[in-house]
Amino acid sequence: MIDNGTPVTIATPGGADPVPLVLDLDETLIRTDSLIEQMLAFVRRNPFSIFQLIGWVMAGRVTLKERLAAAVPVNPELLPVNEEVVALAQQEADKGRKVVLATAAHAETAKLFLEKFPFISEVLATEAGVNLKGKTKAEALMKRFPEGFDYAGDSRADLEVWKRARNAIVVGASRGTVSKARKSANVVQVIPRPTVLKAFIKCLRPHQWAKNVLVVVPAVLSGKIIEPSSILPLILAFFALSLTASATYVFNDIWDLQDDRQHWSKRRRPFASGTLSLPAGIFGALICFVAGLALALMAGLAVLQWVLIYVVVTLTYSLWLKRKVIHDAFTLASLFTLRLVVGMVAVAAEPSPWLFVFAMFFFTSLAFAKRHTEIARVIEKGGNWVSGRGYRASDLPLVLAAGIASSIAAVVIMVLYIIEDAHQQSFIKVGDWLWALPPLIFLISSRIWVVCQRGDLDDDPVVFVVKDRVCLAYAALAAVCFFLAWFGVPL
């Protein structure tokens, strides 16, 4: 406890080296910020608790840390660590040197890391009105270790500490911070952070932009694709959807941070692995979001309206519907259909009920394939529930049946479209070529489900379709048949 205005010290048996190695916690020993992690976890429990969180923020940083430490203790086992810093600390501890954790995190939070990092022999942390950061941390360390200390930190606030340290170790800091540290301290080692731009681009999932090619489909089916005036609106609509969707991917990854770290493949995502900081990702996502809305407005008010609807549905899915069995797959299919709507309003094409119904069934099938893969992975690992979803292991047969049924329904819708409507379209000159489409769609769906059932499907079946040579060959053949029908090539 603190009774004289100094930060708490938690001591455990350690070495006797008079010059200890002192480590910061956030963005140094771990590749994330424990306070931001706690804030996200607190709001994730109940989004309306953000108002309570704002009250804590207004009460002061120490109060905020104290309340969050009590409300949502972090799980050190799930947080990404900086392997280089851990290896350095373990090496020094093995030599008998004292390793100390000095952090601005609250004492109750800091205590949780003692078990995970047994090489730590002492902890200094925030408590009792004292925020152990910057100059305050430097003074506390000088008082505790008058014989000197080496310090590893990451931010501008650590410049005050590095100035007073015997040796400075700079971890994952910006170039400006590294430069200032070299001018004012004895920097003996710089541990770089992974390239932010590369990690951010990965977080945006640019490979998912391929889905937004769907905006072109209404223009093709209506014959407007050959009109020069349609090209610019389609390009603007494509990039508007791509940028706003990428911004929602960032939000989704942040919201699902804890679940992703327990997922077999998603734990390698930038936020989950700690290769991208949460503030940097949020800032970049806001830029993408604003740019996407600006492009949508340039394409027309109708495009902006439907892009905003797409964003609302996506956020509703991320916050709530993704945990609802069956509803989640239906919502994912709706997002694909909304891409078609955006393309339709961009070129003022006539709405096609056949196209929308076909898209709903076909993409619902793909969504169920995604869930089937996730459930199967959980079963392989001996689990029962899919983390962050509403599905459990016993739902696997249901998901398989619903997915295959949806794919067959899509084929039936295509057959009905050819019979009832396709031959009446003015741009279709030889409609018999279209009869190749139902079997090709069936073959694409069947291949996806065969690969899925064998356990060889990745998380995203759309990515699989884009990369799989067999599916691409079927899709190319379908496109050829469609254009033969369009240009009136005799059968």
Side-chain angles (χ1 to χ4, degrees):
M1 296 297 293
I2 296 175
D3 55 7
N4 58 358
T6 58
V8 66
T9 299
I10 309 161
T12 59
D17 194 319
V19 181
L21 172 62
V22 181
L23 308 174
D24 189 19
L25 176 64
D26 299 323
E27 304 293 351
T28 300
L29 187 58
I30 59 175
R31 292 185 181 274
T32 186
D33 188 307
S34 60
L35 181 61
I36 296 178
E37 295 270 349
Q38 289 173 309
M39 293 171 69
L40 286 171
F42 184 71
V43 174
R44 192 171 185 266
R45 289 182 176 181
N46 179 9
F48 292 105
S49 64
I50 191 172
F51 299 106
Q52 185 178 11
L53 185 64
I54 292 173
W56 293 350
V57 171
M58 295 177 65
R61 207 165 183 83
V62 175
T63 300
L64 172 65
K65 293 177 181 180
E66 181 181 348
R67 299 292 175 82
L68 286 174
V72 281
V74 298
N75 184 353
E77 296 302 322
L78 295 180
L79 299 182
V81 302
N82 191 318
E83 293 83 1
E84 291 185 66
V85 176
V86 171
L88 173 64
Q90 187 63 63
Q91 180 181 349
E92 294 300 308
D94 291 342
K95 295 177 182 178
R97 187 179 187 186
K98 174 181 283 189
V99 178
V100 178
L101 183 65
T103 174
H106 193 269
E108 293 303 317
T109 298
K111 289 177 183 179
L112 300 175
F113 290 88
L114 286 174
E115 183 176 350
K116 180 174 179 62
F117 301 110
F119 52 74
I120 297 175
S121 57
E122 188 174 332
V123 175
L124 281 73
T126 293
E127 192 178 56
V130 179
N131 187 28
L132 196 70
K133 186 174 183 178
K135 188 176 181 180
T136 302
K137 181 187 286 188
E139 293 174 351
L141 289 172
M142 290 175 65
K143 181 178 179 180
R144 177 67 184 85
F145 306 111
E147 70 281 3
F149 58 91
D150 295 344
Y151 179 73
D154 69 286
S155 68
R156 289 181 179 270
D158 292 318
L159 289 170
E160 293 291 334
V161 187
W162 284 322
K163 289 178 183 178
R164 293 163 174 79
R166 182 187 68 174
N167 295 314
I169 301 171
V170 184
V171 182
S174 65
R175 292 182 179 180
T177 300
V178 173
S179 178
K180 289 183 178 181
R182 292 188 187 278
K183 293 177 181 178
S184 60
N186 181 34
V187 177
V188 296
Q189 186 175 1
V190 175
I191 300 177
R193 187 184 186 90
T195 305
V196 174
L197 180 59
K198 183 178 179 180
F200 180 66
I201 292 175
K202 182 178 179 181
C203 197
L204 294 180
R205 306 184 209 174
H207 61 278
Q208 299 281 9
W209 289 18
K211 299 175 181 178
N212 299 321
V213 174
L214 288 171
V215 301
V216 179
V217 173
V220 173
L221 296 181
S222 64
K224 289 181 174 288
I225 191 65
I226 60 177
E227 298 178 6
S229 60
S230 298
I231 303 303
L232 181 58
L234 288 176
I235 293 174
L236 291 173
F238 172 82
F239 284 104
L241 264 179
S242 297
L243 289 172
T244 52
S246 287
T248 62
Y249 293 149
V250 174
F251 172 81
N252 180 76
D253 287 354
I254 292 174
W255 190 254
D256 284 349
L257 198 56
Q258 296 179 18
D259 294 327
D260 286 352
R261 286 178 178 148
Q262 301 175 66
H263 193 271
W264 66 278
S265 65
K266 294 179 182 179
R267 64 174 180 265
R268 293 189 289 270
R269 288 179 174 176
F271 290 126
S273 64
T275 55
L276 181 66
S277 69
L278 295 172
I282 293 172
F283 179 74
L286 288 175
I287 292 177
C288 288
F289 183 71
V290 172
L293 294 185
L295 292 175
L297 181 59
M298 292 172 63
L301 287 174
V303 174
L304 176 62
Q305 171 190 335
W306 284 102
V307 168
L308 287 173
I309 291 174
Y310 174 90
V311 170
V312 170
V313 174
T314 300
L315 295 180
T316 304
Y317 169 80
S318 297
L319 293 172
W320 179 46
L321 289 175
K322 72 188 324 177
R323 293 168 178 80
K324 301 297 179 181
V325 175
I326 305 299
H327 294 80
D328 63 329
F330 185 80
T331 305
L332 285 176
S334 300
L335 291 173
F336 282 100
T337 306
L338 283 173
R339 290 176 168 93
L340 296 172
V341 176
V342 170
M344 180 191 72
V345 299
V347 297
E350 287 293 326
S352 171
W354 293 105
L355 174 62
F356 296 146
V357 175
F358 167 80
M360 283 300 300
F361 279 108
F362 182 76
F363 291 114
T364 297
S365 177
L366 296 187
F368 278 123
K370 181 181 178 74
R371 292 293 176 260
H372 185 281
T373 299
E374 293 177 344
I375 297 172
R377 298 288 184 185
V378 169
I379 294 174
E380 285 179 9
K381 297 180 180 296
N384 187 49
W385 288 90
V386 179
S387 180
R389 301 290 186 269
Y391 293 92
R392 53 189 179 187
S394 59
D395 293 330
L396 191 66
L398 169 66
V399 171
L400 175 63
I404 294 178
S406 298
S407 68
I408 298 300
V411 174
V412 172
I413 294 299
M414 179 58 69
V415 170
L416 293 175
Y417 164 71
I418 295 172
I419 294 174
E420 299 291 338
D421 192 61
H423 293 279
Q424 302 176 22
Q425 299 297 325
S426 59
F427 66 93
I428 298 294
K429 298 180 176 58
V430 182
D432 289 341
W433 282 108
L434 298 180
W435 285 110
L437 299 185
L440 288 172
I441 293 169
F442 174 79
L443 290 172
I444 292 173
S445 298
S446 297
R447 175 161 176 79
I448 292 171
W449 278 103
V450 167
V451 174
C452 179
Q453 187 68 8
R454 291 175 177 176
D456 296 329
L457 187 66
D458 245 344
D459 278 343
D460 195 333
V462 176
V463 175
F464 169 79
V465 171
V466 172
K467 294 182 177 180
D468 182 63
R469 292 181 179 180
V470 176
C471 287
L472 288 175
Y474 290 148
L477 185 56
V480 168
C481 292
F482 175 81
F483 283 110
L484 290 175
W486 188 4
F487 290 109
V489 178
L491 186 63

